[in-house]
Amino acid sequence: MKTTFYSNGKLLITGEYLVLDGARAFALPTKFGQNLIIENGSNHEIQWKSYDFDENIWYQDTISFSEITNPVNAKIETVKTTLIQILHEAYLLNPDFINNSEGYKISTQLTFPKKWGLGTSSTLINNIAQWTNIDAFTLLKNSFGGSGYDIACAQNDTPIVYRLEQNLPVVETVDFNPDFTQNIYFVYLNKKQNSKAAINAYYNNKNQHLAHNIIDNNKITDTILNAKTIKEFAVAVEKHEIHMSDILEIRTIKEVAFSDFNGVVKSLGAWGGDFVMAISKEDPTTYFSSKGYETILSYDEMILQQ
């Protein structure tokens, strides 16, 4: 017998970095996500296979139950050690899935290219939490860490505003369905950046102005959510980008790569990461293609609709 679980991918539109300290972050679940398929197995082990969107196996291994119940401290982090860490934390929260089983055959299937960075880890953690009947936010906290906005996207089919209150997640579903979504595009940069420098700058600066920065962020987030026109939306998004540029001491992606673009470009999530959001009156596909960016998705292609 097969049991299938599914979780949505995510894009963080506002509140990057600041969300870790209680700011309100606006995030959108994507049409893309990941399945987890569970079948009974044997030998007190898990035969694990992970498939990319194109049916190619990108990871395959066998994990014994004893590796999950008593993991060895790994010197080098690999896919297997990370997976064991997640499963071990799940076991500590609810040991039944190990104690009451002979074994499993498990497969995961992404519906987006893994390199896109739409939440390979967060969708996996949420799926494992569903399967093992535990709280996904707790599992994230005990394994990977992070704000948890991506878990909230995994669980919700509508836009959300997410914040941490006394380190606990507060998820608010919001109505975001403006007339101008046809002017919003998502462009894949194909440039995995090390975001440590940005995080260090953020932590160095945050102690001086944190409360003020959070108030500014929340105001801009509200303006973005309530924008009635494309101009209002674009101005607020640009304001957010400049605000974060000052905090992180990093030039905006538009300054760095798209200074001649007739519109607004905003980094999403960790700066220098995977996708940017472009706001443009005209279809910007030709512009971005001419710069060598092949993956350009419309709002309708990317975002889960209400």
Side-chain angles (χ1 to χ4, degrees), residues 264-278:
V264 173
V265 186
K266 184 189 181 306
S267 294
L268 301 177
W271 274 38
D274 305 289
F275 275 90
V276 293
M277 177 171 71

Side-chain angles (χ1 to χ4, degrees), residues 33-34 50-54 56-59 79 108-121 188 192 274-275:
Q34 182 166 219
S50 291
Y51 294 88
D52 211 333
F53 77 108
D54 56 5
N56 280 325
I57 293 176
W58 66 267
Y59 171 72
V79 175
T108 65
Q109 171 85 57
L110 289 164
T111 67
F112 60 89
K114 184 169 151 291
K115 62 180 186 176
W116 278 10
L118 293 179
T120 308
S121 304
Y188 178 60
K192 273 279 183 207
D274 305 289
F275 275 90

Side-chain angles (χ1 to χ4, degrees), residues 15-173:
E16 61 269 28
Y17 301 98
L18 291 162
V19 66
L20 293 160
D21 291 297
R24 296 176 76 234
F26 171 41
L28 295 168
T30 65
K31 283 183 173 174
F32 304 97
Q34 182 166 219
N35 289 305
L36 178 74
I37 301 151
I38 311 285
E39 296 177 78
N40 289 333
S42 57
N43 297 337
H44 294 100
E45 66 184 22
I46 298 176
Q47 291 178 8
W48 190 287
K49 287 181 183 176
S50 291
Y51 294 88
D52 211 333
F53 77 108
D54 56 5
E55 307 286 329
N56 280 325
I57 293 176
W58 66 267
Y59 171 72
Q60 181 174 6
D61 213 331
T62 300
I63 300 169
S64 67
F65 280 6
S66 61
E67 287 177 286
I68 294 166
T69 56
N70 298 297
V72 177
N73 270 340
K75 300 280 186 288
I76 300 165
E77 199 175 289
T78 63
V79 175
K80 184 174 184 176
T81 61
T82 303
L83 188 52
I84 288 171
Q85 184 193 2
I86 298 167
L87 292 168
H88 175 66
E89 294 299 342
Y91 168 76
L92 294 179
L93 291 166
N94 181 7
D96 290 357
F97 78 99
I98 294 291
N99 293 348
N100 301 340
S101 171
E102 288 301 310
Y104 296 103
K105 289 178 183 172
I106 296 180
S107 63
T108 65
Q109 171 85 57
L110 289 164
T111 67
F112 60 89
K114 184 169 151 291
K115 62 180 186 176
W116 278 10
L118 293 179
T120 308
S121 304
S122 54
T123 51
L124 175 67
I125 285 171
N126 192 61
N127 282 338
I128 287 174
Q130 289 182 79
W131 164 45
T132 58
N133 283 315
I134 58 175
D135 180 71
F137 292 102
T138 308
L139 181 57
L140 176 79
K141 199 174 183 177
N142 295 357
S143 56
F144 269 46
S147 73
Y149 88 88
D150 45 5
I151 297 293
C153 283
Q155 298 177 352
N156 283 279
D157 295 340
T158 62
I160 59 162
V161 170
Y162 180 87
R163 74 180 194 279
L164 289 170
E165 201 170 280
Q166 295 174 324
N167 274 333
L168 294 172
V170 179
V171 184
E172 181 192 336
T173 58

